[in-house]
Amino acid sequence: MTDIIIHCAVALLLPPLLLGVIGKTKAAFAGRVGAPYLQPYFDLIKLFRKGSVFSETTTWVFRAGPLITLSAALIAVLLIPLGRHVAPLSFSGDLILFAYLFGLSRFFTTIAALDTGSSFEGMGAAREVTFSCLAEPTLFFSLLTLARISKSLSLSTILTHPTPAIWLAAGASMLLLVGALFITLLAENSRIPFDDPNTHLELTMIHEVMVLDHSGPAFGIILYGAALKLFILGAVFVNIAFPVATGNALLDWGIFIVAMLVLAVAIGVVESVMARLRLVRVPQLLVGATILSAFAMLLVLR
């Protein structure tokens, strides 16, 4: 029960801090002081205190989009083990539910953007769907490879199975998986080099263009849902890349939180040293990630 309470508390409170660490890292590389680590929390509180404005051209789909997206993410985070601790919800085949929750989230984000009738948001929705078709196979190949290694279809077993011994036995496959998952992590969360969450008025943006018409609490829900998605995929990455377990529950929780913060710093470093890719280059990088995960599967199946 204690682990479930800590799991829920960490999953609900930590995601905005990751955005704060990324922003602080980018500011440090740029020679600026930057916003406080807790700035994302302040932004969310400010948005939830505001009123919402809805266009008369929108329907219930536009209002339901952020709520369904956040609900899907909240269910998904209950399926993911954090560190060496099993998830509160775990059953054989839950990785399929996990994948469909992400699909449901993307579907409602997309149709909410289309519901506005804006050609600009329609453009972003088209890009989001196109690039997600290239990013999702990487996640599937990675999970199936880990399922093959762990001989289980439960995420709790799949993601807690990697250990230093597994890395020694299947190091090449694990390295390929870590590289592919990091690329997918950046793409799925609209981070540089695929997208820039800090830009809102450029024709090259993908995800951010779909949420331009949201305001107030609805926009706050979208921002929190995006932070939660970063946390979920980050937890998947950390479980595979840093399979450290001490046997002490509280110490393992601390290691997991530190690993997530280190991952946020790594994302900030990548965003500081790289420019956003041209749109024509994005599919090439996503296909490259799929090839990496496919090779990882082949190495496991041989």
Side-chain angles (χ1 to χ4, degrees):
M1 179 58 72
T2 303
D3 281 341
I4 294 177
I5 294 173
I6 296 176
H7 182 109
C8 295
V10 171
L12 292 175
L13 298 177
L14 189 61
L17 182 61
L18 299 180
L19 299 180
V21 172
I22 293 173
K24 202 71 173 177
T25 303
K26 293 169 67 176
F29 268 80
R32 297 182 284 106
V33 176
Y37 289 105
L38 301 182
Q39 186 61 45
Y41 297 93
F42 301 148
D43 293 340
L44 289 175
I45 293 172
K46 181 177 66 176
L47 287 171
F48 284 121
R49 285 179 175 174
K50 290 186 175 182
S52 294
V53 178
F54 296 105
S55 168
E56 294 180 352
T57 62
T58 59
T59 65
W60 65 271
V61 173
F62 183 78
R63 293 168 173 78
L67 293 175
I68 295 177
T69 300
L70 179 60
S71 300
L74 289 173
I75 297 173
V77 80
L78 295 177
L79 299 172
I80 294 294
L82 303 183
R84 297 294 95 184
H85 305 278
V86 297
L89 293 180
S90 177
F91 53 88
S92 181
D94 56 4
L95 66 88
I96 298 174
L97 173 61
F98 178 77
Y100 273 98
L101 285 171
F102 268 79
L104 178 69
S105 172
R106 194 189 314 280
F107 174 74
F108 269 91
T109 302
T110 303
I111 63 170
L114 295 176
D115 192 54
T116 62
S118 166
S119 57
F120 195 40
E121 296 200 24
M123 175 198 68
R127 290 175 176 175
E128 173 82 6
V129 172
T130 302
F131 294 144
S132 67
C133 291
L134 300 174
E136 286 175 354
T138 304
L139 190 59
F140 274 109
F141 275 128
S142 301
L143 291 178
L144 290 176
T145 303
L146 293 170
R148 171 73 178 181
I149 294 174
S150 63
K151 295 180 172 43
S152 172
L153 292 178
S154 172
L155 284 171
S156 285
T157 305
I158 290 174
L159 297 178
T160 56
H161 186 73
T163 59
I166 296 294
W167 268 88
L168 290 175
S173 296
M174 300 301 285
L175 277 176
L176 291 173
L177 284 182
V178 167
L181 283 174
F182 189 70
I183 295 173
T184 305
L185 172 70
L186 297 177
E188 286 283 351
N189 290 285
S190 305
R191 311 300 308 190
I192 293 174
F194 299 97
D195 196 3
D196 188 351
N198 295 322
T199 60
H200 296 275
L201 297 174
E202 298 181 27
L203 291 175
T204 53
M205 59 185 178
I206 303 170
H207 177 77
E208 294 303 314
V209 70
M210 295 193 298
V211 299
L212 286 178
D213 280 359
H214 289 281
S215 61
F219 188 53
I221 291 173
I222 290 173
L223 292 182
Y224 182 74
L228 192 56
K229 184 178 180 181
L230 174 65
F231 175 83
I232 293 170
L233 293 178
V236 172
F237 178 84
V238 164
N239 283 344
I240 299 169
F242 305 102
V244 179
T246 64
N248 184 305
L250 291 178
L251 187 56
D252 285 344
W253 276 114
I255 291 174
F256 170 76
I257 293 173
V258 171
M260 290 294 291
L261 296 178
V262 171
L263 175 63
V265 172
I267 294 173
V269 171
V270 170
E271 295 195 354
S272 299
V273 300
M274 290 190 69
R276 190 171 49 196
L277 292 173
R278 293 169 56 195
L279 280 179
V280 293
R281 299 293 185 191
V282 171
Q284 297 173 3
L285 186 54
L286 292 176
V287 170
T290 302
I291 293 173
L292 289 179
S293 58
F295 272 121
M297 174 175 280
L298 288 176
L299 290 174
V300 171
L301 292 177
R302 65 175 180 171

